[in-house]
Amino acid sequence: QLRESGGGLVEPGAALNLSCIGSRSFANFDAMEWWRQAPGKERESLAGVRQSGRPYYRPAGTRFSITANLTINALYLELNNLTPEDTAVYYCKAVPLFGPGYWGQGTQVTVAS
């Protein structure tokens, strides 16, 4: 089970720190990722951390910073300089070596003045 937190309503230019806590060891997975889904749009990948600890970023996530604490099964995403276009539900995903992966329930981020 994955549980995200840290979302909320913020003004443009603000920052937020999202957290994802897993009930299973992240060592069981090939990678842990952050995704988001904006209203009316497809879910998109932002960034991930491999089991080795090395982070990687997708084009939509280059403004953000991903970190992980594998010892406590925690994944974090620092959102910087938010704009209304960043309004979305942000999801944590556990990516196994094989198979579709596991999703959290998401946390809503709303950017509005």
Side-chain angles (χ1 to χ4, degrees):
Q1 181 181 5
L2 300 171
R3 185 175 297 276
E4 303 93 335
S5 63
L9 172 62
V10 297
E11 294 186 348
L16 277 176
N17 289 300
L18 306 183
S19 299
C20 171
I21 305 298
S23 59
R24 295 176 60 189
S25 172
F26 286 2
N28 292 321
F29 302 100
D30 185 57
M32 298 297 301
E33 295 181 339
W34 281 103
W35 290 62
R36 71 182 179 186
Q37 187 166 19
K41 295 187 178 181
E42 293 187 357
R43 197 170 295 192
E44 63 178 351
S45 176
L46 299 174
V49 177
R50 300 202 182 281
Q51 195 180 99
S52 65
R54 178 171 292 186
Y56 53 93
Y57 293 89
R58 307 302 187 194
T62 55
R63 284 188 294 115
F64 308 141
S65 178
I66 189 170
T67 56
N69 186 334
L70 301 181
T71 61
I72 60 171
N73 305 327
L75 186 71
Y76 306 102
L77 187 68
E78 181 181 338
L79 307 178
N80 299 303
N81 194 22
L82 288 164
T83 72
E85 289 68 37
D86 295 315
T87 294
V89 179
Y90 286 71
Y91 296 92
C92 178
K93 181 182 181 182
V95 183
L97 195 58
F98 302 103
Y102 305 91
W103 297 93
Q105 84 289 348
T107 185
Q108 175 71 47
V109 172
T110 302
V111 185
S113 55

